[in-house]
Amino acid sequence: MPVYKAPVSDTLFILNDVLSIGRHNDLAGFADLSNDMLEAIAGEAARLAEQELLPLNLPGDRQGCTRRDDGTVSVPDGFRDAYDLYRQGGWIGLAVPEEFGGQGLPYVLHTAVGEYMSSANMSLMMYPGLTQGAIAAFLAHGSDAQKAMWLPKMVDGSWTGTMNLTEPHCGTDLGLLRTRATPQADGSYRISGQKIFISAGEHDMSDNIVHLVLARIEGAPDGTKGLSLFIVPKYLLKDDGAPGERNAVSCGAIEHKMGIHGNATCVMNYDEATGYLIGVENRGLNAMFVMMNEARLGVGLQGLAIAEAAYQNAAAYARERLQGRALSGAKNPADKADPIIVHPDVRRTLMTIRAWTEGGRAFTLWTALQSDIARRSPDEAARQAADDLLGLMTPILKGVLTDKGFDHAVMAQQVFGGHGYIEEQGMSQYVRDARIAMIYEGANGIQALDLVGRKLGLNGGRAIMALFKEIGDFCEENRDDETLSFFTKHLKKGLNDLQAATMWFMQNAVAKPDNAGAGSTDYMHLSGLVTVGYMWARMAKAANQALAAGKSGREDDLRNKLITARFFMERLMPETALRRTRIEAGADSTMELPAEAF
């Protein structure tokens, strides 16, 4: 059975020492978040993840979901009870405004504890995860009446939510959607069509499922400009607001998937189902993007979470597995072999995963903090700057952390050798589960194109220039600090590569767009390397300051943090030069072969 221990102390180090969230007491929800309260919430989340969710992960993968003859779906054994514990603990509404039954706490805290839950059981946590995305769409685009009708039950978890975009003939190109909406005299619509790959589309853990469905009203313009978003509940509501008659929406099948077997990924059939417009007619994509962006941050978190869980198991195995002798001489002479943790290549593997997960955790929490500032700050300029940064970081975080999440699950599996290929060890599940995060909520190639094609030039490049300035200012301000000069030197080299690659796009991609397309994935990863490198430089500074202050009981952790920071800068950050070289090679060789030659 795989093991997992939530990284609570590392989370608290990032929140308190690196991000200094206490400075944001002027934001709604932050003032009441004392250190004791923060520790208590993180500790309780860790307990729930480790004791209730983790034991169901491997059995849930083996059992999967079952579709009954009537189209209803049952989840794996134990999932419903664990979901009830999660729901009753108020975790779904942790960052939702109190007026709708939430606790109004910071989104960055919701993100921190969300990592623990996804590490312990990604499939189970997808059910409330989709609900939280739907809640965000209601908050941004729902009418007051709709919020009052739907949000309280979704926030307390009695009802869950889904996102319905993809159809059999179209995924990313939503302008090809065929699901239609026919207006009715009472103001409702009849929704007809089929959606596929719908996570948590049907299950038996909640009293109702609130589907948010993209469809085209009859006579609407072609393409994405003619799409509207509709609320289509599994059960229609009675006059008293309770679930009543079954709506004409059903699960036609459960997809047979590589991973996330514990989540019901459904083919959903809408047969003249009753739906209600949310937001503005023909502006459904705007409303859906709120949910999609929320989901993309959540999916990036999944990549991080799987990598952390896989790393912990690989590290534990490497400390115990005896195989060969250390190159520098026997480290365990009492036995016939040394534990494989002594071998440099095993350590390279583990250090690579560790450096990315710890840096990725800081990156994720820093990005989540931007969301809090953008939504809650009383300062308009601060809100705008944070929103700019959030928009720029979303595709980078989603694309980089999920690519790395899969890579690192495979690397962790490799530490086990042949035993990692055996299902009983649980490592193959991490590989299988991590793979989907690179695909759903916008495949990572699309994230890279979004970054290069839209986000870089938005508002005259305001966001990327602000990022350059923030990192550049950090390097300059700490240039003469002997404890940081090593880190700032490497960070500045990476920043120079990112700035040069950005300039190359400006000079070579406008006249020849294929140059942007061919270099987009490398640019996304180059951006991720520099941003995570910036997080490591900030963590190194915080660790040095904490050591200088003589904080007892943390010295070993802080020194380990500095060693890992050095590894990232020495062994991983130099990849920025490779990424820049690939970008500047242009698109000629990529695009030259005729299609029939493939």
Side-chain angles (χ1 to χ4, degrees):
M1 178 71 71
V3 298
Y4 172 70
K5 183 173 177 59
V8 173
S9 62
D10 197 49
T11 300
L12 296 176
F13 168 74
I14 294 168
L15 292 176
N16 291 322
D17 296 64
V18 181
L19 299 181
S20 302
I21 64 168
R23 296 181 305 163
H24 298 284
N25 284 340
D26 60 324
L27 304 184
F30 280 73
D32 297 330
L33 195 61
S34 66
N35 287 339
D36 288 344
M37 184 179 180
L38 183 60
E39 288 187 33
I41 292 172
E44 180 58 23
R47 187 203 64 77
L48 179 62
E50 295 164 6
Q51 298 180 18
E52 304 295 341
L53 305 186
L54 179 65
L56 299 173
N57 193 41
L58 190 59
D61 177 67
R62 291 172 178 168
Q63 182 182 359
C65 298
T66 303
R67 180 184 178 276
R68 306 182 185 96
D69 291 339
D70 62 357
T72 59
V73 171
S74 61
V75 296
D77 295 340
F79 270 39
R80 184 183 181 107
D81 290 341
Y83 173 76
D84 282 343
L85 289 174
Y86 181 85
R87 180 183 66 79
Q88 292 164 10
W91 298 105
I92 295 174
L94 193 68
V96 177
E98 293 178 87
E99 63 184 294
F100 301 111
Q103 299 179 53
L105 291 170
Y107 179 72
V108 67
L109 178 59
H110 159 82
T111 302
V113 301
E115 180 199 337
Y116 308 162
M117 309 297 182
S118 288
S119 284
N121 197 322
M122 176 173 159
S123 290
L124 176 54
M125 292 316 300
M126 287 173 65
Y127 294 95
L130 268 296
T131 304
Q132 285 157 339
I135 288 169
F138 271 99
L139 288 173
H141 292 280
S143 67
D144 290 343
Q146 288 171 337
K147 291 175 185 178
M149 179 178 293
W150 302 101
L151 279 179
K153 291 293 185 181
M154 296 176 72
V155 172
D156 74 16
S158 300
W159 301 349
T160 57
T162 71
M163 176 169 55
N164 285 238
L165 287 79
T166 307
E167 298 183 3
H169 61 284
C170 73
T172 301
D173 191 353
L174 295 174
L176 300 177
L177 286 181
R178 296 173 183 164
T179 299
R180 69 179 188 275
T182 306
Q184 302 299 298
D186 63 356
S188 67
Y189 293 78
R190 295 293 183 189
I191 311 297
S192 297
Q194 186 179 77
K195 301 288 185 177
I196 62 171
F197 307 155
I198 307 306
S199 301
E202 170 61 29
H203 58 85
D204 54 358
M205 295 197 300
S206 64
D207 298 332
N208 205 354
I209 302 175
V210 183
H211 302 288
L212 294 186
V213 183
L214 272 183
R216 193 183 310 278
I217 298 173
E218 292 179 352
D222 292 335
T224 57
K225 293 182 179 179
L227 298 178
S228 300
L229 187 63
F230 298 90
I231 305 163
V232 187
K234 176 179 176 179
Y235 294 103
L236 298 172
L237 302 188
K238 297 185 291 187
D239 291 341
D240 62 359
E245 179 185 354
R246 180 68 189 262
N247 205 355
V249 52
S250 62
C251 170
I254 298 177
E255 306 283 8
H256 298 281
K257 312 184 296 292
M258 175 180 174
I260 54 169
H261 295 152
N263 191 268
T265 307
C266 300
V267 175
M268 300 300 297
N269 296 321
Y270 293 86
D271 302 304
E272 298 291 307
T274 298
Y276 310 95
L277 181 70
I278 179 172
V280 180
E281 186 177 305
N282 297 335
R283 299 281 289 173
L285 204 56
N286 295 66
M288 184 59 80
F289 263 123
V290 173
M291 190 173 185
M292 290 172 68
N293 285 333
E294 180 106 359
R296 285 170 178 170
L297 292 173
V299 171
L301 188 68
Q302 288 178 338
L304 169 67
I306 290 292
E308 173 65 32
Y311 164 79
Q312 289 190 22
N313 283 273
Y317 184 81
R319 290 192 298 267
E320 298 170 357
R321 173 69 169 175
L322 301 181
Q323 191 80 36
R325 286 297 188 191
L327 298 176
S328 56
K331 305 300 182 188
N332 188 27
D335 284 310
K336 294 181 179 180
D338 290 328
I340 63 173
I341 192 71
V342 305
H343 301 309
D345 195 61
V346 172
R347 282 176 167 259
R348 173 195 61 81
T349 299
L350 294 174
M351 286 296 290
T352 298
I353 305 172
R354 178 175 180 145
W356 268 108
T357 53
E358 291 185 13
R361 180 172 301 114
F363 177 26
T364 302
L365 295 177
W366 176 65
T367 304
L369 181 59
Q370 306 311 311
S371 178
D372 279 321
I373 297 170
R375 296 176 181 177
R376 305 182 187 213
S377 176
D379 185 328
E380 183 177 353
R383 290 198 308 272
Q384 181 65 73
D387 192 58
D388 285 349
L389 200 54
L390 181 64
L392 180 70
M393 289 296 114
T394 296
I396 299 171
L397 191 148
K398 194 278 184 186
V400 173
L401 293 189
T402 58
D403 275 355
K404 293 299 181 184
F406 177 74
D407 289 348
H408 296 154
V410 172
M411 290 169 68
Q413 184 188 42
Q414 186 76 10
V415 171
F416 283 73
H419 292 284
Y421 202 65
I422 304 301
E423 288 292 335
E424 284 75 11
Q425 291 286 354
M427 298 307 291
S428 67
Q429 183 188 354
Y430 290 131
V431 173
R432 291 184 285 103
D433 286 356
R435 187 65 183 87
I436 185 57
M438 303 165 70
I439 300 171
Y440 61 13
E441 303 310 335
N444 285 355
I446 299 299
Q447 301 302 319
L449 286 174
D450 177 50
L451 172 64
V452 171
R454 293 183 60 249
K455 300 299 175 60
L456 280 188
L458 201 62
N459 300 310
R462 188 171 65 200
I464 191 67
M465 296 307 294
L467 180 67
F468 290 164
K469 185 178 187 306
E470 180 170 339
I471 298 175
D473 286 350
F474 178 90
C475 292
E476 183 63 26
E477 290 163 4
N478 296 282
R479 184 179 59 178
D480 297 328
D481 185 337
E482 292 183 1
T483 66
L484 284 180
S485 60
F486 170 85
F487 304 104
T488 55
K489 178 184 71 174
H490 284 274
L491 177 58
K492 192 67 169 67
K493 286 181 180 178
L495 178 61
N496 289 341
D497 286 331
L498 180 58
Q499 289 174 317
T502 306
M503 182 61 67
W504 191 89
F505 275 145
M506 292 175 62
Q507 295 171 343
N508 295 276
V510 176
K512 191 173 182 180
D514 281 344
N515 281 332
S520 59
T521 291
D522 281 301
Y523 188 87
M524 179 180 73
H525 280 277
L526 172 52
S527 302
L529 277 160
V530 173
T531 306
V532 173
Y534 173 46
M535 294 297 106
W536 268 117
R538 290 182 60 173
M539 285 190 285
K541 181 175 183 177
N544 278 322
Q545 289 175 336
L547 284 169
K551 295 186 177 181
S552 61
R554 300 174 56 195
E555 287 81 4
D556 287 346
D557 287 343
L558 294 170
R559 292 190 187 98
N560 291 341
K561 184 69 71 176
L562 289 169
I563 293 169
T564 310
R566 195 170 78 245
F567 178 90
F568 186 92
M569 293 300 183
E570 288 178 344
R571 301 297 300 263
L572 304 181
M573 183 62 91
E575 187 184 323
T576 61
L578 170 64
R579 297 287 183 177
R580 173 185 171 182
T581 299
R582 287 176 175 171
I583 291 166
E584 293 177 349
D588 289 350
S589 63
T590 302
M591 303 304 295
E592 189 170 353
L593 276 180
E596 58 270 18
F598 284 88

